[in-house]
Amino acid sequence: MLEALRTPELAPLVAWIEAAPAGREILERVHRGAYLDALAALAASGGGPLDADTYLGPRSWEAAQAAAGVAVRAVEEAMARKGGTAFAAARPPGHHALAARAMGFCFVNNVVVAARHAQAQGAARVLIVDWDVHHGNGTQALVEADSSIRYVSLHQYPWYPGTGAAEERGVGNVFNVPRPPGLPRLRYVRDLLDAVDAALAGWAPDVLLVSAGFDSLAGDPLGGFTLQPEDVATWTAELRARVAGRPVIAVLEGGYRLDLLAAGVTELVRALA
Ligand SMILES: [Zn+2]
C-alpha cells in the first residue's frame, strides 16, 4: 500500500504526514480506562491472546495508539480546509473493537475515535460509511444510541462477526446492508449507495468518515464479495458528491491480499485527491 502511494502516478497527489500517537483523553472518549490499562499492561508483559484471532504482541499497544493517532490527525487535516480529504493509512484496524473488548484484529476503534474527535472540533453530525466485507460490530455498538452519528455498513452476511442484520437500526441511525457473497459487483455498489441515500434523507452530516476495508474486493481470502478496485473509485466519487464541500476522511480497516490492498488504496486516494 505504501509503495503504491509512492509511485510516480500518485506521488504528486499525496502529502505525507506522520501523526503523533493518540493520547489517553482522546482514546477515553470511546474506550474504558481500565481496558486501555489492561492492553498496556499485557503488552508490557510480552503480550498474549485476547480472542481466537486477536493477539496482542509486545508492540501492539504502541501500534494501536499510533493508528488511532493517524485517524485523529487525518480528521484535523481534512477539517482544516473546505472540502478537505485525508486517508489514514494505519494498522491495526478498528471497526470490531468495543468499548472494553478487542476482537477481529482490532484493539482501538479508530473510526469512532475519529468521529468523536471530529465532534470535539465542532462537527455536530458525522456519517460513517463502512464498506469492509465484515460488519463493524464495534462501530455499531459504540454509536447505535447516539443520533448525532449515522452508520451505514455493507457487509457479507451471515459472516464474521455475526452481527449486522437489517433489523438492527439503533435509534434509527444504523443502516445495515447485509448481503450474500457472489452477487454481481454492481449490486453491491448500488445497494451501499442506496443505503447512504436513506441515511442522508433529511439529514446532512458535517463530516463523512469511511471505514475503508479492502477485503470486499474479489479475491480477498477473508471475503466473498466480487468488487473490483475501480468500484472503490466509484464509491468514493459518489460519496464525495453526496456531501459536497464537507470533509471526507477514509480510515483503513481490513484487506488481506496485499496486491488488492494496494490497488484499492490507489483508487481511493486518487478519488479523494
Ligand atoms: Zn474485514
Side-chain angles (χ1 to χ4, degrees):
M1 177 181 72
L2 299 179
E3 284 170 14
L5 293 174
R6 290 189 178 104
T7 57
E9 183 215 345
L10 280 185
L13 302 176
V14 177
W16 293 87
I17 295 165
E18 185 82 21
R24 182 76 178 207
E25 184 186 332
I26 282 173
L27 297 177
E28 285 195 10
R29 290 175 183 148
V30 176
H31 295 283
R32 299 223 189 100
Y35 166 68
L36 300 172
D37 289 341
L39 291 181
L42 181 59
S45 70
L50 291 166
D51 79 3
D53 51 23
T54 310
Y55 191 95
L56 187 94
R59 297 191 67 191
S60 297
W61 172 233
E62 185 184 344
Q65 293 173 93
V70 171
V72 162
R73 183 66 183 275
V75 165
E76 292 176 353
E77 291 295 327
M79 287 182 70
R81 52 197 195 282
K82 183 173 162 54
T85 61
F87 171 54
R91 286 274 173 82
H95 73 156
H96 296 305
L98 298 159
R101 183 179 163 198
M103 57 184 285
F105 320 149
C106 302
F107 305 99
V108 169
N109 198 309
N110 302 318
V111 82
V112 179
V113 168
R116 294 303 181 200
H117 193 66
Q119 291 185 312
Q121 307 282 94
R125 292 172 303 279
V126 179
L127 173 63
I128 302 174
V129 175
D130 186 334
W131 68 53
D132 188 282
V133 80
H134 304 99
H135 180 239
N137 61 297
T139 303
Q140 177 174 305
L142 289 164
V143 309
E144 65 189 353
D146 181 352
S147 62
S148 70
I149 299 181
R150 292 195 172 185
Y151 178 58
V152 181
S153 176
L154 167 73
H155 44 272
Q156 188 168 325
Y157 186 89
W159 198 235
Y160 182 88
T163 51
E167 304 80 63
E168 297 167 21
R169 294 298 322 279
V171 290
N173 63 328
V174 172
F175 301 77
N176 281 315
V177 187
R179 290 291 179 270
L183 295 178
R185 49 190 268 247
L186 293 180
R187 257 300 290 289
Y188 299 118
V189 172
R190 192 194 62 212
D191 287 357
L192 176 64
L193 292 173
D194 285 350
V196 169
D197 286 337
L200 292 176
W203 186 85
D206 300 300
V207 166
L208 168 63
L209 295 172
V210 178
S211 262
F214 297 91
D215 44 12
S216 47
L217 296 178
D220 188 280
L222 296 191
F225 279 4
T226 55
L227 292 154
Q228 294 297 318
E230 55 263 41
D231 298 324
V232 170
T234 301
W235 272 337
T236 306
E238 291 285 337
L239 291 174
R240 287 191 72 188
R242 281 162 169 77
V243 297
R246 307 295 182 183
V248 178
I249 301 100
V251 178
L252 181 63
E253 300 284 1
Y256 304 99
R257 219 180 84 184
L258 296 184
D259 57 336
L260 293 176
L261 179 58
V265 165
T266 296
E267 296 292 339
L268 170 69
V269 168
R270 193 194 287 122
L272 285 177

mmCIF file of all heavy atoms in Angstrom, residues 87-111:
data_model
loop_
_atom_site.group_PDB
_atom_site.id
_atom_site.type_symbol
_atom_site.label_atom_id
_atom_site.label_comp_id
_atom_site.label_asym_id
_atom_site.label_seq_id
_atom_site.Cartn_x
_atom_site.Cartn_y
_atom_site.Cartn_z
ATOM 1 N N PHE A 87 -6.596 10.352 4.043
ATOM 2 C CA PHE A 87 -6.655 8.899 4.212
ATOM 3 C C PHE A 87 -5.717 8.507 5.340
ATOM 4 O O PHE A 87 -4.535 8.876 5.326
ATOM 5 C CB PHE A 87 -6.232 8.200 2.910
ATOM 6 C CG PHE A 87 -6.062 6.701 3.051
ATOM 7 C CD1 PHE A 87 -7.078 5.911 3.566
ATOM 8 C CD2 PHE A 87 -4.881 6.083 2.660
ATOM 9 C CE1 PHE A 87 -6.918 4.537 3.699
ATOM 10 C CE2 PHE A 87 -4.711 4.715 2.783
ATOM 11 C CZ PHE A 87 -5.733 3.938 3.306
ATOM 12 N N ALA A 88 -6.263 7.788 6.319
ATOM 13 C CA ALA A 88 -5.460 7.304 7.439
ATOM 14 C C ALA A 88 -4.929 5.913 7.090
ATOM 15 O O ALA A 88 -5.652 4.921 7.151
ATOM 16 C CB ALA A 88 -6.307 7.250 8.710
ATOM 17 N N ALA A 89 -3.666 5.868 6.676
ATOM 18 C CA ALA A 89 -3.025 4.618 6.260
ATOM 19 C C ALA A 89 -2.367 4.000 7.491
ATOM 20 O O ALA A 89 -1.191 4.259 7.769
ATOM 21 C CB ALA A 89 -1.998 4.887 5.166
ATOM 22 N N ALA A 90 -3.133 3.233 8.230
ATOM 23 C CA ALA A 90 -2.624 2.731 9.508
ATOM 24 C C ALA A 90 -3.216 1.366 9.825
ATOM 25 O O ALA A 90 -4.346 1.068 9.468
ATOM 26 C CB ALA A 90 -2.947 3.704 10.633
ATOM 27 N N ARG A 91 -2.484 0.561 10.480
ATOM 28 C CA ARG A 91 -2.935 -0.689 11.071
ATOM 29 C C ARG A 91 -2.427 -0.714 12.502
ATOM 30 O O ARG A 91 -1.380 -0.108 12.768
ATOM 31 C CB ARG A 91 -2.395 -1.903 10.290
ATOM 32 C CG ARG A 91 -3.083 -2.131 8.940
ATOM 33 C CD ARG A 91 -4.350 -2.971 9.143
ATOM 34 N NE ARG A 91 -5.164 -3.103 7.920
ATOM 35 C CZ ARG A 91 -4.954 -3.977 6.918
ATOM 36 N NH1 ARG A 91 -3.919 -4.775 6.964
ATOM 37 N NH2 ARG A 91 -5.780 -4.030 5.904
ATOM 38 N N PRO A 92 -3.055 -1.413 13.437
ATOM 39 C CA PRO A 92 -4.173 -2.332 13.233
ATOM 40 C C PRO A 92 -5.491 -1.614 12.918
ATOM 41 O O PRO A 92 -5.628 -0.431 13.196
ATOM 42 C CB PRO A 92 -4.275 -3.066 14.581
ATOM 43 C CG PRO A 92 -3.681 -2.135 15.573
ATOM 44 C CD PRO A 92 -2.603 -1.393 14.834
ATOM 45 N N PRO A 93 -6.451 -2.385 12.325
ATOM 46 C CA PRO A 93 -7.758 -1.813 12.018
ATOM 47 C C PRO A 93 -8.560 -1.616 13.310
ATOM 48 O O PRO A 93 -8.051 -1.870 14.405
ATOM 49 C CB PRO A 93 -8.397 -2.873 11.123
ATOM 50 C CG PRO A 93 -7.794 -4.153 11.585
ATOM 51 C CD PRO A 93 -6.386 -3.813 12.009
ATOM 52 N N GLY A 94 -9.829 -1.163 13.171
ATOM 53 C CA GLY A 94 -10.531 -0.814 14.399
ATOM 54 C C GLY A 94 -11.994 -1.187 14.520
ATOM 55 O O GLY A 94 -12.524 -1.220 15.621
ATOM 56 N N HIS A 95 -12.694 -1.491 13.412
ATOM 57 C CA HIS A 95 -14.162 -1.452 13.488
ATOM 58 C C HIS A 95 -14.811 -2.592 14.262
ATOM 59 O O HIS A 95 -16.011 -2.531 14.515
ATOM 60 C CB HIS A 95 -14.789 -1.275 12.087
ATOM 61 C CG HIS A 95 -14.738 -2.474 11.197
ATOM 62 N ND1 HIS A 95 -15.634 -2.654 10.160
ATOM 63 C CD2 HIS A 95 -13.907 -3.545 11.169
ATOM 64 C CE1 HIS A 95 -15.350 -3.788 9.526
ATOM 65 N NE2 HIS A 95 -14.313 -4.338 10.114
ATOM 66 N N HIS A 96 -14.030 -3.608 14.658
ATOM 67 C CA HIS A 96 -14.607 -4.646 15.541
ATOM 68 C C HIS A 96 -14.394 -4.329 17.023
ATOM 69 O O HIS A 96 -14.966 -5.010 17.880
ATOM 70 C CB HIS A 96 -13.985 -6.012 15.241
ATOM 71 C CG HIS A 96 -14.271 -6.524 13.863
ATOM 72 N ND1 HIS A 96 -15.550 -6.663 13.376
ATOM 73 C CD2 HIS A 96 -13.443 -6.917 12.851
ATOM 74 C CE1 HIS A 96 -15.495 -7.122 12.119
ATOM 75 N NE2 HIS A 96 -14.234 -7.280 11.776
ATOM 76 N N ALA A 97 -13.563 -3.359 17.350
ATOM 77 C CA ALA A 97 -13.241 -3.094 18.763
ATOM 78 C C ALA A 97 -14.423 -2.462 19.489
ATOM 79 O O ALA A 97 -15.037 -1.507 19.003
ATOM 80 C CB ALA A 97 -12.018 -2.188 18.859
ATOM 81 N N LEU A 98 -14.732 -3.009 20.665
ATOM 82 C CA LEU A 98 -15.818 -2.499 21.516
ATOM 83 C C LEU A 98 -15.224 -1.591 22.590
ATOM 84 O O LEU A 98 -14.004 -1.433 22.682
ATOM 85 C CB LEU A 98 -16.561 -3.682 22.134
ATOM 86 C CG LEU A 98 -17.242 -4.607 21.110
ATOM 87 C CD1 LEU A 98 -17.496 -5.984 21.710
ATOM 88 C CD2 LEU A 98 -18.534 -3.986 20.615
ATOM 89 N N ALA A 99 -16.082 -1.026 23.426
ATOM 90 C CA ALA A 99 -15.618 -0.083 24.448
ATOM 91 C C ALA A 99 -14.584 -0.714 25.376
ATOM 92 O O ALA A 99 -13.651 -0.046 25.827
ATOM 93 C CB ALA A 99 -16.805 0.436 25.254
ATOM 94 N N ALA A 100 -14.747 -2.004 25.660
ATOM 95 C CA ALA A 100 -13.844 -2.655 26.617
ATOM 96 C C ALA A 100 -13.473 -4.061 26.157
ATOM 97 O O ALA A 100 -13.282 -4.966 26.969
ATOM 98 C CB ALA A 100 -14.482 -2.703 28.006
ATOM 99 N N ARG A 101 -13.381 -4.257 24.838
ATOM 100 C CA ARG A 101 -13.062 -5.592 24.343
ATOM 101 C C ARG A 101 -12.428 -5.508 22.962
ATOM 102 O O ARG A 101 -12.968 -4.834 22.068
ATOM 103 C CB ARG A 101 -14.338 -6.431 24.273
ATOM 104 C CG ARG A 101 -14.090 -7.858 23.843
ATOM 105 C CD ARG A 101 -15.404 -8.638 23.825
ATOM 106 N NE ARG A 101 -15.244 -9.866 23.040
ATOM 107 C CZ ARG A 101 -16.246 -10.587 22.547
ATOM 108 N NH1 ARG A 101 -17.494 -10.211 22.770
ATOM 109 N NH2 ARG A 101 -16.015 -11.666 21.837
ATOM 110 N N ALA A 102 -11.299 -6.207 22.808
ATOM 111 C CA ALA A 102 -10.661 -6.338 21.499
ATOM 112 C C ALA A 102 -11.259 -7.542 20.784
ATOM 113 O O ALA A 102 -11.572 -8.549 21.406
ATOM 114 C CB ALA A 102 -9.156 -6.539 21.663
ATOM 115 N N MET A 103 -11.417 -7.436 19.476
ATOM 116 C CA MET A 103 -11.798 -8.612 18.682
ATOM 117 C C MET A 103 -11.504 -8.354 17.200
ATOM 118 O O MET A 103 -11.342 -7.208 16.776
ATOM 119 C CB MET A 103 -13.258 -9.031 18.905
ATOM 120 C CG MET A 103 -14.316 -7.992 18.636
ATOM 121 S SD MET A 103 -16.002 -8.569 19.052
ATOM 122 C CE MET A 103 -16.355 -9.681 17.671
ATOM 123 N N GLY A 104 -11.385 -9.453 16.442
ATOM 124 C CA GLY A 104 -11.232 -9.335 14.997
ATOM 125 C C GLY A 104 -10.062 -8.480 14.554
ATOM 126 O O GLY A 104 -10.198 -7.675 13.631
ATOM 127 N N PHE A 105 -8.900 -8.660 15.160
ATOM 128 C CA PHE A 105 -7.656 -7.926 14.864
ATOM 129 C C PHE A 105 -7.692 -6.471 15.340
ATOM 130 O O PHE A 105 -6.775 -5.707 15.042
ATOM 131 C CB PHE A 105 -7.279 -7.920 13.363
ATOM 132 C CG PHE A 105 -7.491 -9.197 12.603
ATOM 133 C CD1 PHE A 105 -7.817 -9.161 11.248
ATOM 134 C CD2 PHE A 105 -7.324 -10.438 13.192
ATOM 135 C CE1 PHE A 105 -8.004 -10.321 10.516
ATOM 136 C CE2 PHE A 105 -7.504 -11.618 12.468
ATOM 137 C CZ PHE A 105 -7.852 -11.551 11.130
ATOM 138 N N CYS A 106 -8.759 -6.072 16.026
ATOM 139 C CA CYS A 106 -8.957 -4.658 16.388
ATOM 140 C C CYS A 106 -8.822 -4.450 17.894
ATOM 141 O O CYS A 106 -9.392 -5.201 18.683
ATOM 142 C CB CYS A 106 -10.346 -4.196 15.952
ATOM 143 S SG CYS A 106 -10.676 -4.366 14.179
ATOM 144 N N PHE A 107 -8.101 -3.418 18.298
ATOM 145 C CA PHE A 107 -7.923 -3.065 19.714
ATOM 146 C C PHE A 107 -8.604 -1.745 20.056
ATOM 147 O O PHE A 107 -9.261 -1.614 21.075
ATOM 148 C CB PHE A 107 -6.431 -2.972 20.057
ATOM 149 C CG PHE A 107 -5.655 -4.205 19.710
ATOM 150 C CD1 PHE A 107 -4.912 -4.267 18.538
ATOM 151 C CD2 PHE A 107 -5.689 -5.321 20.537
ATOM 152 C CE1 PHE A 107 -4.211 -5.414 18.191
ATOM 153 C CE2 PHE A 107 -4.989 -6.464 20.205
ATOM 154 C CZ PHE A 107 -4.242 -6.518 19.029
ATOM 155 N N VAL A 108 -8.395 -0.754 19.199
ATOM 156 C CA VAL A 108 -8.966 0.584 19.390
ATOM 157 C C VAL A 108 -9.830 0.881 18.161
ATOM 158 O O VAL A 108 -9.411 0.633 17.028
ATOM 159 C CB VAL A 108 -7.846 1.639 19.523
ATOM 160 C CG1 VAL A 108 -8.405 3.053 19.458
ATOM 161 C CG2 VAL A 108 -7.065 1.426 20.821
ATOM 162 N N ASN A 109 -11.036 1.398 18.388
ATOM 163 C CA ASN A 109 -11.927 1.661 17.256
ATOM 164 C C ASN A 109 -11.563 3.006 16.625
ATOM 165 O O ASN A 109 -12.081 4.064 16.992
ATOM 166 C CB ASN A 109 -13.391 1.635 17.701
ATOM 167 C CG ASN A 109 -14.310 1.458 16.503
ATOM 168 O OD1 ASN A 109 -14.189 2.197 15.523
ATOM 169 N ND2 ASN A 109 -15.190 0.488 16.554
ATOM 170 N N ASN A 110 -10.658 2.934 15.667
ATOM 171 C CA ASN A 110 -10.082 4.152 15.084
ATOM 172 C C ASN A 110 -11.142 5.079 14.494
ATOM 173 O O ASN A 110 -11.048 6.308 14.629
ATOM 174 C CB ASN A 110 -9.066 3.785 14.000
ATOM 175 C CG ASN A 110 -7.949 2.908 14.526
ATOM 176 O OD1 ASN A 110 -7.435 3.138 15.617
ATOM 177 N ND2 ASN A 110 -7.567 1.884 13.766
ATOM 178 N N VAL A 111 -12.129 4.502 13.806
ATOM 179 C CA VAL A 111 -13.090 5.369 13.105
ATOM 180 C C VAL A 111 -14.022 6.063 14.101
ATOM 181 O O VAL A 111 -14.424 7.214 13.874
ATOM 182 C CB VAL A 111 -13.855 4.587 12.005
ATOM 183 C CG1 VAL A 111 -15.019 3.786 12.569
ATOM 184 C CG2 VAL A 111 -14.341 5.541 10.911
#
